[in-house]
Amino acid sequence: MEATRSLQLDRSDAEFFSAARLRAARLQPYLASAVFSLIPVPSPGYGTFGVDRWWRVYVDMAVAREWGVEATAAVLLHEAHHVIRDHHGRADRLKLQSSQRVRWNVAGDLAINDDLLEDGLALPDPVLPQQFGFAVGEIEERYFQMLGPEDPVERDSCGSGSGGDPIEGEIDDEPTESGADGLDGVDQEAIRRTVAHDVDQSI
């Protein structure tokens, strides 16, 4: 996809997305600031949701309607966790090669999904540590080591925001260029601090 400004959801899809986002914020209130900062980009035919490093969330709304509001809310929380946990930055600091990024993406999914399932969220078809014979509750770097290059981890990317490869159709522009919507590094860190504060207040 040629670099361009984020496209807008149509009215019906925007209403559905708003309902799912509100539900997500109620399910995990300490992530509300992150969930409401995600910028939706319609991506028909993608088959799921994904997020880029600038907090644009790529949404296949036809699939979201099949999931329903509750499951879509859980998926939005999953994508919010990718960017709050800085999976992109952590992958860069590990100096991962392209061939390793699918495995890192899956490691991130494992670390996120076991937490979401513990909270009773209705994730559609989640990949879980138990499927690989792993204990729950490990961090991403540990799951990455445990997976190993021989494990079958073929999976569609969750986008560059997960530390995986960019999905087809990701917007190339940084948010400060060409009028592209998105969050720059300063705004991202501010939201992470807000979420950390809200987590502390919820304990």
Side-chain angles (χ1 to χ4, degrees):
M1 180 176 183
E2 186 177 334
T4 183
R5 188 176 184 83
S6 300
L7 301 173
Q8 300 297 312
L9 298 174
D10 66 30
R11 180 175 177 178
S12 176
D13 285 344
E15 290 175 352
F16 184 96
F17 184 85
S18 294
R21 177 146 58 184
L22 182 60
R23 181 58 180 154
R26 288 175 174 167
L27 287 168
Q28 292 193 333
Y30 51 86
L31 273 182
S33 58
V35 168
F36 280 101
S37 296
L38 295 173
I39 300 162
V41 179
S43 301
Y46 175 28
T48 187
F49 283 14
V51 66
D52 71 18
R53 61 181 299 181
W54 310 115
W55 295 41
R56 304 176 188 113
V57 60
Y58 297 81
V59 296
D60 186 334
M61 294 306 299
V63 173
R65 290 182 183 281
E66 293 176 6
W67 290 336
V69 168
E70 196 78 9
T72 300
V75 174
L76 281 173
L77 287 167
H78 175 97
E79 302 306 333
H81 273 277
H82 274 306
V83 290
I84 281 294
R85 298 180 188 209
D86 192 24
H87 283 165
H88 175 84
R90 288 161 72 179
D92 286 350
R93 288 189 288 278
L94 288 170
K95 302 186 185 305
L96 298 184
Q97 303 299 313
S98 179
S99 61
Q100 299 173 298
R101 286 186 176 267
V102 171
R103 187 154 49 103
W104 173 254
N105 189 162
V106 172
D109 288 345
L110 296 177
I112 293 168
N113 291 346
D114 62 3
D115 292 341
L116 297 185
L117 266 291
E118 184 178 356
D119 284 351
L121 273 67
L123 277 172
D125 191 28
V127 59
L128 297 169
Q130 301 93 312
Q131 295 168 2
F132 294 91
F134 302 156
V136 301
E138 300 286 355
I139 65 170
E140 291 83 340
E141 287 80 0
R142 177 61 179 149
Y143 281 132
F144 180 74
Q145 292 174 342
M146 293 166 67
L147 281 167
E150 71 281 356
D151 283 297
V153 292
E154 293 183 9
R155 186 173 177 83
D156 291 336
S157 174
C158 285
S160 63
S162 72
D165 290 325
I167 65 172
E168 183 178 355
E170 272 198 25
I171 298 168
D172 295 330
D173 289 357
E174 296 185 22
T176 54
E177 298 176 355
S178 306
D181 296 325
L183 272 65
D184 63 21
V186 173
D187 288 339
Q188 292 176 25
E189 286 307 312
I191 294 169
R192 289 189 182 104
R193 287 193 296 272
T194 298
V195 169
H197 174 269
D198 291 344
V199 169
D200 287 342
Q201 293 299 308
S202 70
I203 296 174

